[in-house]
Amino acid sequence: ETDGMDDAKDSCSSNEDVQVGDLVLIEDKSQKEGGSGTSGLQGKKVKIVTQEDVKNQNYCITDVVLPLLGYKVQYPQNDTKTSFETMLQNDGLTLEHFNNIQDRELALGGDYRKLICRPSDVDFEIKRYFNPLQPLLQTDLMEVHNVPVPPPVTIGRQKQDAMVVDNLQHKENDACNKNDEDEKEQPNKKQNTLLGMVIGFTLPPSSYATIALRELMKRPTSNEYQSAIVA
């Protein structure tokens, strides 16, 4: 367990977001190791963060978990637990209700989920294209029917290097700042040129790519917002 804690220290640049009373996952066995996998508590062990843990920077924000409500889970011992209780009160419930369910089919043991996940294998391409309906990736349906992806102009590719994006943006700005003579010759070229990013990454189980993309783009994923964009 000490080695794992040392690894956690190495992977965390700061633990300023970890609070006393938070829950952290200190053991998560795979199914091969006797755990229950992504759903279930078997092989999972949590602990409550102490003041000493915060002082020694034993954990970082990616170690923090939130409980899925149930009678077998522990709850944070800080304002997060208060938030759980407040939300339940709005529906006329308390945490004790989960301990008193007699019907086994309705009884919830609960589980834990990471508050924040760090993606791995991050890769991206910046592509220039001209048709807003042009696919930049081959969909499953296109693959079945052997339909190739129209080749957009790739203007950059880099793994885990945000500086490339900045450089590409500068280049694109320079390209847009053409003189008036060039704009008269090709008045619609700048308007019809679109930029897209094709990004790839790996997430752990029980994580969702749509949420990762939402955080990356800082745009809501609600139906109302997306419908407004299409409209």
Side-chain angles (χ1 to χ4, degrees):
E1 185 175 345
T2 303
D3 292 338
M5 188 175 294
D6 291 338
D7 292 340
K9 287 183 179 181
D10 293 339
S11 64
C12 300
S13 58
S14 173
N15 75 329
E16 61 183 1
D17 292 321
V18 179
Q19 306 293 324
V20 174
D22 282 343
L23 286 179
V24 290
L25 193 64
I26 59 174
E27 185 175 281
D28 187 8
K29 293 182 179 180
S30 65
Q31 287 182 316
K32 292 182 179 179
E33 298 170 326
S36 55
T38 57
S39 297
L41 292 172
Q42 187 173 340
K44 294 180 180 178
K45 185 184 297 184
V46 297
K47 69 161 290 185
I48 297 173
V49 174
T50 65
Q51 184 64 54
E52 184 178 359
D53 290 327
V54 173
K55 180 180 178 180
N56 295 332
Q57 298 187 357
N58 290 336
Y59 303 101
C60 62
I61 192 65
T62 53
D63 297 315
V64 176
V65 295
L66 292 176
L68 301 182
L69 294 174
Y71 63 89
K72 290 184 178 180
V73 295
Q74 295 186 56
Y75 291 91
Q77 299 301 307
N78 52 23
D79 290 342
T80 303
K81 181 179 181 180
T82 304
S83 298
F84 274 99
E85 293 172 333
T86 300
M87 287 186 289
L88 288 172
Q89 287 174 3
N90 292 335
D91 292 322
L93 298 172
T94 67
L95 294 176
E96 291 301 319
H97 281 99
F98 292 88
N99 298 326
N100 301 320
I101 298 177
Q102 302 301 321
D103 191 333
R104 294 184 61 184
E105 293 186 2
L106 299 178
L108 299 174
D111 206 340
Y112 300 104
R113 292 289 184 270
K114 287 291 187 75
L115 176 63
I116 293 178
C117 294
R118 178 176 295 157
S120 59
D121 305 320
V122 177
D123 190 15
F124 66 86
E125 291 181 69
I126 305 295
K127 295 186 177 183
R128 181 187 290 118
Y129 60 106
F130 304 97
N131 183 351
L133 300 180
Q134 175 183 338
L136 301 182
L137 285 174
Q138 189 180 41
T139 65
D140 293 340
L141 185 61
M142 293 171 64
E143 186 175 357
V144 168
H145 293 285
N146 199 27
V147 177
V149 178
V153 180
T154 300
I155 61 176
R157 182 181 182 91
Q158 183 67 31
K159 259 192 177 182
Q160 296 178 331
D161 190 355
M163 293 298 295
V164 172
V165 177
D166 294 335
N167 293 334
L168 292 172
Q169 289 175 341
H170 289 309
K171 290 180 181 179
E172 190 64 23
N173 291 336
D174 292 340
C176 291
N177 292 329
K178 295 180 180 180
N179 57 40
D180 294 338
E181 191 173 319
D182 290 337
E183 289 183 354
K184 289 179 181 179
E185 292 178 359
Q186 297 177 332
N188 295 323
K189 187 174 181 181
K190 182 174 68 174
Q191 295 179 358
N192 293 337
T193 301
L194 302 171
L195 280 180
M197 174 185 284
V198 177
I199 184 169
F201 50 85
T202 300
L203 291 174
S206 300
S207 305
Y208 299 93
T210 50
I211 302 302
L213 292 174
R214 182 190 70 184
E215 295 302 310
L216 175 67
M217 298 184 294
K218 302 303 180 186
R219 293 291 185 273
T221 53
S222 63
N223 291 334
E224 295 79 6
Y225 181 84
Q226 297 297 323
S227 299
I229 293 178
V230 174

